[in-house]
Each structure stands twice: as structure tokens, then as C-alpha cells.
Amino acid sequence: MTDTKTNTKKPTPSKVYNLASAMLEFQKLSVSAKKDGKNPHFRSNYSTLESVISAVNQGNQFGLFFTQEIDYVYTSHMDTKSEVVVVTTVRHVVDDSTYVSKLPIIMSQANYENPQKIGSAITYAKRYTLQSVYGLPSEDDDGNEASKPTIQVSK
């Protein structure tokens, strides 16, 4: 049963003893994140990070919670080159087990000097790793449009 005001599913009472059974119970709810963001460049809608967090927090009733950290991975032993990595960890309160997913932020060096572009890329990575780890369905409107080849017309 869905609460139409909050777009959340009503919990099914069950005893959840570990991460796997908690994730199973969560996925039985068939939760999805609301598409509450608008991308004006592609005239499309997407699920914001806040909407995804609201959706995955429905797993709290089964003992699931998550953390997201920013880390750096050195890409070369010979110099100090590094990549920013978003680390998403799903945890379970009963058995203290974890599942970790890491997504590197791949950007040009010029973009690494722009805090707004870094923040945007981190938010994007947080949103998509959470959706992936929790198995939330999504229709990637903005990604589909962005991946289409551009057609150049010669004059």
C-alpha cells in the first residue's frame, strides 16, 4: 500500500537479521525515487539526491542505513596524481555487516579547479551509487540525452 502524500510504501512487518534479508525486504517494497528535478538543458526530469535519499531511507525500518564519503585514490606510484572517489557504504544494524561501492569522479584537470563542477560531479555520483546499491529503478532522462551523438552539419 502506498501513501500518496509522501510516495512511500507502508512497511511489511518482518524480522530482519542480516544485511541480505534486510535488502530483500526493502526491495519487496518496490520503492522508487520521485523525479522531482528538472534539467532545463535537455527538458527532462530526474530524481534529485534528496529524493533518492528519501527513497532509500525506507530501508531504515529493516535496519539498513548508509554513509557516503569522499576519498582520494592515487592513480600513479611515481607522482601525486589522484582521483576523487565517492564511497557509498550500506550498513545493517543487527549484524554490523556492510556493502561498499566506490565510484571515481572522472573529470578534466581544468574542472578539478572549479569547486562547483566538482560538487556537481560528487552529487551526481552520490545519487547514482545510492540508486545502484539499493536497486532503485530509474529512467535516466538526462543521461540518455547526454549520450546521444551530436550531429554536425557542414556548410
Side-chain angles (χ1 to χ4, degrees), residues 3-19:
D3 179 346
T4 56
K5 290 183 181 178
T6 61
N7 197 28
T8 58
K9 303 284 181 169
K10 298 288 183 189
T12 303
S14 66
K15 292 187 178 185
V16 182
Y17 300 105
N18 60 40
L19 179 64

Side-chain angles (χ1 to χ4, degrees), residues 78-92:
M78 304 304 259
D79 61 12
T80 58
K81 283 185 155 183
S82 65
E83 288 181 339
V84 176
V85 178
V86 172
V87 181
T88 300
T89 304
V90 176
R91 301 175 186 276
H92 191 257

Side-chain angles (χ1 to χ4, degrees), residues 59-76:
N60 294 159
Q61 63 191 307
F62 305 115
L64 296 171
F65 67 102
F66 71 92
T67 58
Q68 289 188 303
E69 302 171 18
I70 308 303
D71 199 2
Y72 294 91
V73 174
Y74 290 98
T75 58
S76 172

Side-chain angles (χ1 to χ4, degrees), residues 84-105:
V84 176
V85 178
V86 172
V87 181
T88 300
T89 304
V90 176
R91 301 175 186 276
H92 191 257
V93 296
V94 174
D95 71 347
D96 201 31
S97 57
T98 61
Y99 176 79
V100 178
S101 177
K102 297 179 182 182
L103 182 64
I105 307 294

